[in-house]
């Protein structure tokens, strides 16, 4: 497919985070030094960038199964969607969460990281609803969107719920799990949704 102005297929995984890091510290040398400072905001964002790049590479493996992926989709507000996967099994908004060396546990409605409750589930569900509204409005048909959390570099991930409202997966399992889900969209529907999703104008509202 040809890339046009405003075509989000140009985006690389983590592009929105890269822009934020440069905004926080425009000086390249200081930016590099701050990446190694334990309490630096730059280090926190840099960790997130690594997670998004790892998740993006794994998601891009879905292409051989008839899927399309988009990364770093920005809303007009400045917030962004880490990743969007569109394929035979439907549309999925994916949040990348890097919890290096930590223990992640997912119960019925909450995630804990080393025992501390996180808001990952509520945030992912809210994002999926917003993505669904935007795509439904532009596609002219109802587009359900399922939220996914990609857990990167955790020491341990335990999922208690057998049928959770949010898919919480180790990053290495993303392509296998998504490509193994039952098909709900035809190839023409997948291509149409992708053509809408890759248009930056879809996300301005």
């Amino acid at each position: 497919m040809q890339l046009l102005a405003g075509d989000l297929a140009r985006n690389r995984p983590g592009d929105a985070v890269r822009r934020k890091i440069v905004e926080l510290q425009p000086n390249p040398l200081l930016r590099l030094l701050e990446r190694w400072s334990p309490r630096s905001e730059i280090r926190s964002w840099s960790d997130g960038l690594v997670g998004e790049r790892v998740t993006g590479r794994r998601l891009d493996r879905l292409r051989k199964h008839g899927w399309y992926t988009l990364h770093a989709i920005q809303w007009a507000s400045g917030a962004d969607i880490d990743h969007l996967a569109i394929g035979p099994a439907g549309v999925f908004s994916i949040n990348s969460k890097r919890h290096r060396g930590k223990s992640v546990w997912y119960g019925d409605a909450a995630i804990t990281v080393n025992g501390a409750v996180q808001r990952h589930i509520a945030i992912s569900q809210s994002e999926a609803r917003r993505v669904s509204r935007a795509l439904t409005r532009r596609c002219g048909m109802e587009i359900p969107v399922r939220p996914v959390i990609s857990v990167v570099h955790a020491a341990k991930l335990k999922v208690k719920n057998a049928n959770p409202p949010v898919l919480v997966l180790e990053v290495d399992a993303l392509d296998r799990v998504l490509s193994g889900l039952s098909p709900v969209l035809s190839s023409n529907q997948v291509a149409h949704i992708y053509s809408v999703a890759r248009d930056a104008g879809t996300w301005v509202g």
Side-chain angles (χ1 to χ4, degrees):
M1 294 184 181
Q2 184 180 8
L3 296 180
L4 304 173
D7 189 340
L8 300 181
R10 299 172 183 271
N11 292 0
R12 299 170 298 169
D15 270 353
V17 178
R18 289 185 184 90
R19 288 191 291 270
K20 178 64 176 181
I21 291 172
V22 172
E23 177 186 316
L24 288 170
Q25 179 50 265
N27 186 296
L29 179 58
L30 293 178
R31 192 161 63 238
L32 180 63
L33 293 173
E34 287 187 37
R35 287 190 177 193
W36 298 102
S37 175
R39 297 179 180 84
S40 166
E41 189 176 359
I42 295 289
R43 179 166 181 170
S44 176
W45 283 98
S46 296
D47 280 346
L49 175 58
V50 171
E52 290 195 31
R53 291 174 65 187
V54 171
T55 297
R57 286 196 297 269
R58 179 61 61 166
L59 287 171
D60 285 344
R61 296 187 181 193
L62 287 167
R63 291 173 182 168
K64 63 185 178 184
H65 299 290
W67 290 65
Y68 297 100
T69 56
L70 293 167
H71 310 286
I73 300 171
Q74 281 203 281
W75 299 99
S77 64
D80 75 287
I81 305 158
D82 292 350
H83 316 276
L84 200 64
I86 304 163
V91 181
F92 300 80
S93 62
I94 298 107
N95 274 285
S96 173
K97 297 297 180 185
R98 189 178 188 224
H99 294 298
R100 184 172 51 180
K102 297 180 180 179
S103 179
V104 179
W105 180 89
Y106 176 32
D108 293 332
I111 283 181
T112 63
V113 177
N114 281 358
V117 177
Q118 308 293 318
R119 297 191 63 247
H120 297 344
I121 298 301
I123 291 171
S124 293
Q125 289 178 307
S126 176
E127 177 180 275
R129 289 191 294 268
R130 188 178 182 189
V131 171
S132 176
R133 289 193 298 269
L135 291 177
T136 296
R137 183 171 61 248
R138 291 291 299 272
C139 286
M141 61 188 236
E142 186 71 24
I143 308 294
V145 176
R146 186 166 186 184
V148 179
I149 294 174
S150 167
V151 179
V152 181
H153 297 159
K156 181 180 180 182
L157 170 62
K158 183 174 182 180
V159 178
K160 179 183 176 183
N161 194 327
N163 188 28
V166 177
L167 280 176
V168 178
L169 303 169
E170 291 183 358
V171 64
D172 291 345
L174 274 176
D175 57 319
R176 173 178 57 81
V177 172
L178 294 185
S179 64
L181 295 174
S182 298
V184 296
L185 296 175
S186 69
S187 58
N188 286 341
Q189 288 173 318
V190 170
H192 174 57
I193 296 168
Y194 175 63
S195 70
V196 171
R198 69 190 291 189
D199 179 0
T202 297
W203 312 102
V204 298

